[in-house]
């Protein structure tokens, strides 16, 4: 059985009077891809932000390889190196070209030399089909290209797992395919990932397990084939029908 990489224990989170996360508990094993789906406002993105330390939890525990990482302030930078996160908004520095954006984290946060990182960055760009864009500024890239650069940037920090938060939400369908192809390749290579998405077909293709959230609680959890084609709960069936999801 694969080692537990991430463990969430009864997480709760409130914003003022609103209960955003309500006792969330699940594990992510080494090499597993877990996809979190659910209606807007159900707490999916907040969950990822809590894991990465961008939001403080109100109660519960988050463990990485058995070490409690929730509530830590001194070691927050180290935790974020171990748990990479890719956002919907790319967050590339507009005044830096692609290679400069990629080198910043490994050289500044990890203390690696530029000469050591450049070949690795070039190989990663080649893998995602963007080596010829190494000197381009972000404004010269399409949305799909920016998102692929953002994924490479996260990978160059050598994280133990990746959190992907609606990384295709702002893209047109052709660009969505570009980005999801990269994520599927990472899944096949054994990268541990926790993914929030509204792309149901991608979720079925990439996931080892699907978690359905509503109102900050886990309503259903299971294998993708079971969830998408034989959901156990009426609420999950209603949710999937809203996407007109059917087997092709």
């Amino acid at each position: 059985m694969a080692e537990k990489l991430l463990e969430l224990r009864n997480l709760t989170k409130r914003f003022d009077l609103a209960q955003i996360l309500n006792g969330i508990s699940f594990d992510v094993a080494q090499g597993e891809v877990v996809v979190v789906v659910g209606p807007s406002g159900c707490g999916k993105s907040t969950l990822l932000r809590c894991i990465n330390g961008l939001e403080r939890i109100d109660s519960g525990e988050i463990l990485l390889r058995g070490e409690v990482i929730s509530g830590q302030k001194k070691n927050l930078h180290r935790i974020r190196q171990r748990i990479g996160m890719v956002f919907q908004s790319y967050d590339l520095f507009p005044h830096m070209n692609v290679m400069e954006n990629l080198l910043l984290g490994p050289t500044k946060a990890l203390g690696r030399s530029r000469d050591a990182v450049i070949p690795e960055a070039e190989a990663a760009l080649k893998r995602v089909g963007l080596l010829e864009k190494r000197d381009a500024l972000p404004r010269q890239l399409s949305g799909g290209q920016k998102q692929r650069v953002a994924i490479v940037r996260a990978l160059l920090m050598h994280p133990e797992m990746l959190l992907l938060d609606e990384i295709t939400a702002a893209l047109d369908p052709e660009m969505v395919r570009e980005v999801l192809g990269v994520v599927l390749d990472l899944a096949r290579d054994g990268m541990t990932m926790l993914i929030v998405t509204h792309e149901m077909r991608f979720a079925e293709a990439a996931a080892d397990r699907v978690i359905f959230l509503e109102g900050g609680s886990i309503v259903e959890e299971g294998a993708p084939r079971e969830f998408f084609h034989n959901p156990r709960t009426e609420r999950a069936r209603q949710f999937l029908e809203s996407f007109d999801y059917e087997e092709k």
Side-chain angles (χ1 to χ4, degrees), residues 3-145:
E3 174 190 2
K4 289 180 182 179
L5 181 59
L6 181 73
E7 300 173 65
L8 308 184
R9 297 288 174 259
N10 201 32
L11 297 194
T12 66
K13 173 66 180 178
R14 297 181 67 89
F15 289 127
D16 297 323
L17 298 178
Q19 186 79 42
I20 307 301
L21 299 177
N22 187 22
I24 298 291
S25 297
F26 64 88
D27 302 332
V28 180
Q30 177 75 46
E32 187 179 22
V33 178
V34 177
V35 175
V36 180
V37 300
S40 297
C42 69
K44 303 184 300 293
S45 293
T46 299
L47 175 64
L48 296 193
R49 292 175 64 84
C50 287
I51 294 170
N52 197 243
L54 294 169
E55 297 285 355
R56 293 179 60 186
I57 61 173
D58 293 323
S59 63
E61 285 186 327
I62 303 170
L63 295 88
L64 184 64
R65 295 196 188 279
E67 172 192 356
V68 176
I69 61 171
S70 49
Q72 295 194 26
K73 293 184 179 179
K74 288 185 178 180
N75 297 321
L76 195 55
H77 68 286
R78 183 174 63 87
I79 293 166
R80 288 177 180 159
Q81 290 169 13
R82 297 174 68 189
I83 304 178
M85 188 160 179
V86 183
F87 301 87
Q88 174 183 335
S89 55
Y90 325 126
D91 294 330
L92 301 178
F93 290 103
H95 63 290
M96 294 182 175
N97 67 28
V98 166
M99 184 57 70
E100 290 169 337
N101 267 282
L102 297 180
L103 294 177
L104 188 62
T107 56
K108 296 297 184 182
L110 301 182
R112 300 178 63 196
S113 71
R114 288 175 60 92
D115 289 345
V117 180
I118 286 174
E120 184 181 347
E122 289 176 338
L125 285 175
K126 184 176 181 180
R127 178 179 178 180
V128 301
L130 291 177
L131 182 57
E132 76 282 0
K133 299 293 186 181
R134 55 165 292 159
D135 297 320
L137 292 170
R139 61 180 170 79
Q140 298 171 307
L141 304 178
S142 69
Q145 290 170 336

Side-chain angles (χ1 to χ4, degrees), residues 196-234:
V196 165
T197 185
H198 278 107
E199 296 287 337
M200 296 298 108
R201 296 195 182 284
F202 163 69
E204 183 178 10
D208 296 306
R209 182 159 43 105
V210 177
I211 292 175
F212 175 53
L213 287 188
E214 185 172 51
S217 299
I218 296 177
V219 175
E220 187 166 338
E221 179 178 357
R225 181 76 185 177
E226 175 186 345
F227 176 78
F228 287 110
H229 300 288
N230 190 28
R232 298 189 305 273
T233 63
E234 179 62 27

